[in-house]
Amino acid sequence: MIFSNQIIWLRSFVALWGVECKLFVRQPTAAFFTFVFPVLLFLLFGSIFGEAPMWNRPDVRYIDFYAPALMAAYIGQAGLISLTNFLAEYRLIGILKRYVVSPFSLGFYLCVHIAMQVVIFIISAVILFVVAESVFNIHFRGHWAIVLFVGMVCIACFFALGFLVNGLSKSPRSTHVLGQFLFLIMFFISGATLPRQAFPDWLHTLSWCSPLTHVVTTFSGVWLGDPIVQYVNSLMFLTVITILSYLVAIRTFKWEV
């Protein structure tokens, strides 16, 4: 009986995951900014700074750092924009409310969408890596297991922030605005656009308050082969943000308008 229930759960999970993926693909704007725009942005910055050495690491080209930095920045986009927009839209049209009377819990449905976002991130990262390897011959110096572990910590943090934004926003429209505002601010001060070494001292210090700065720094560092112990403080910071965000989101999250 238990085994049969697990089979039903798994089939339902896969079926619902497939439906969500089809709905995502049918949105040209979302697909463009997920798969195409990061590559175009990478090619633009790569053509400008590609072969130049990093300010603090002359043995590393800027493009070798920028590829994982852009992948890390996409984690922030998935949590603060893609996830928040999905929750706000589905809450507005009443889909989340309807799941209350379904055989599966709302938590089950959210797990399906999180799994979809993770798969989309992996596909986007692979596309970006293939382009970077083909055009600029970037160098991967880290260990895949460590990079994946750091990536999962970063994803958990920004998905928690996405739930938090939905919980704190008073309306779906404000959810869109708040999520995009937070991501853009974090994106421009994280080092995923311009090197943080070029920032004035006050902005360089302020940027450490942004979770995306720790995501970009840690993910890029382990990608380039730095020991993970070098980023323990950043991982602890992201873990604390994750726990606090989930605790607040549980109390404030709204399933209907």
Side-chain angles (χ1 to χ4, degrees):
M1 184 67 179
I2 296 178
F3 181 75
S4 177
N5 290 336
Q6 291 176 342
I7 294 295
I8 295 175
W9 187 93
L10 181 60
R11 288 179 177 177
S12 301
F13 188 95
V14 173
L16 189 55
W17 180 83
V19 171
E20 289 296 325
C21 289
K22 290 179 181 178
L23 292 175
F24 175 83
V25 173
R26 291 174 183 175
Q27 300 177 6
T29 303
F32 173 81
F33 281 99
T34 300
F35 300 118
V36 180
F37 182 73
V39 174
L40 296 178
L41 192 63
F42 173 78
L43 293 174
L44 173 63
F45 278 88
S47 62
I48 298 174
F49 303 107
E51 298 298 328
M54 291 183 62
W55 291 35
N56 58 340
R57 298 183 62 170
D59 60 318
V60 177
R61 299 177 305 167
Y62 179 76
I63 197 64
D64 294 327
F65 163 82
Y66 188 62
L70 195 58
M71 295 178 192
Y74 177 72
I75 294 176
Q77 179 190 5
L80 288 177
I81 296 182
S82 298
L83 181 64
T84 55
N85 288 352
F86 141 74
L87 290 174
E89 179 182 355
Y90 279 26
R91 186 174 61 195
L92 178 63
I93 61 181
I95 292 180
L96 293 184
K97 183 180 179 180
R98 293 189 182 99
Y99 272 89
V100 174
V101 297
S102 70
F104 298 99
S105 65
L106 289 167
F108 170 84
Y109 180 71
L110 293 179
C111 287
V112 170
H113 193 80
I114 290 174
M116 183 196 72
Q117 291 290 345
V118 170
V119 171
I120 290 174
F121 163 72
I122 293 174
I123 294 174
S124 178
V126 169
I127 292 174
L128 184 60
F129 177 77
V130 170
V131 173
E133 176 69 23
S134 303
V135 178
F136 296 102
N137 190 28
I138 66 168
H139 305 297
F140 175 76
R141 307 181 182 185
H143 191 284
W144 282 113
I146 295 177
V147 172
L148 289 174
F149 168 75
V150 170
M152 291 299 103
V153 172
C154 297
I155 288 173
C157 179
F158 269 91
F159 274 53
L161 288 173
F163 286 121
L164 178 62
V165 168
N166 273 272
L168 297 179
S169 300
K170 295 183 178 180
S171 67
R173 187 171 185 177
S174 64
T175 301
H176 292 294
V177 174
L178 182 58
Q180 292 177 3
F181 174 77
L182 290 175
F183 171 73
L184 290 176
I185 292 296
M186 292 184 187
F187 181 57
F188 283 108
I189 67 174
S190 66
T193 51
L194 298 175
R196 292 175 57 250
Q197 291 80 1
F199 293 173
D201 292 339
W202 66 269
L203 184 57
H204 188 278
T205 302
L206 182 63
S207 66
W208 282 116
C209 298
S210 166
L212 191 57
T213 300
H214 293 271
V215 168
V216 169
T217 301
T218 305
F219 191 82
S220 301
V222 296
W223 177 283
L224 294 173
D226 294 341
I228 193 173
V229 294
Q230 185 175 330
Y231 302 99
V232 169
N233 290 337
S234 290
L235 291 173
M236 290 179 62
F237 176 83
L238 294 174
T239 302
V240 170
I241 294 295
T242 302
I243 295 174
L244 292 178
S245 297
Y246 273 123
L247 290 177
V248 176
I250 289 173
R251 295 181 175 273
T252 60
F253 191 81
K254 299 175 287 292
W255 300 107
E256 54 185 295
V257 179

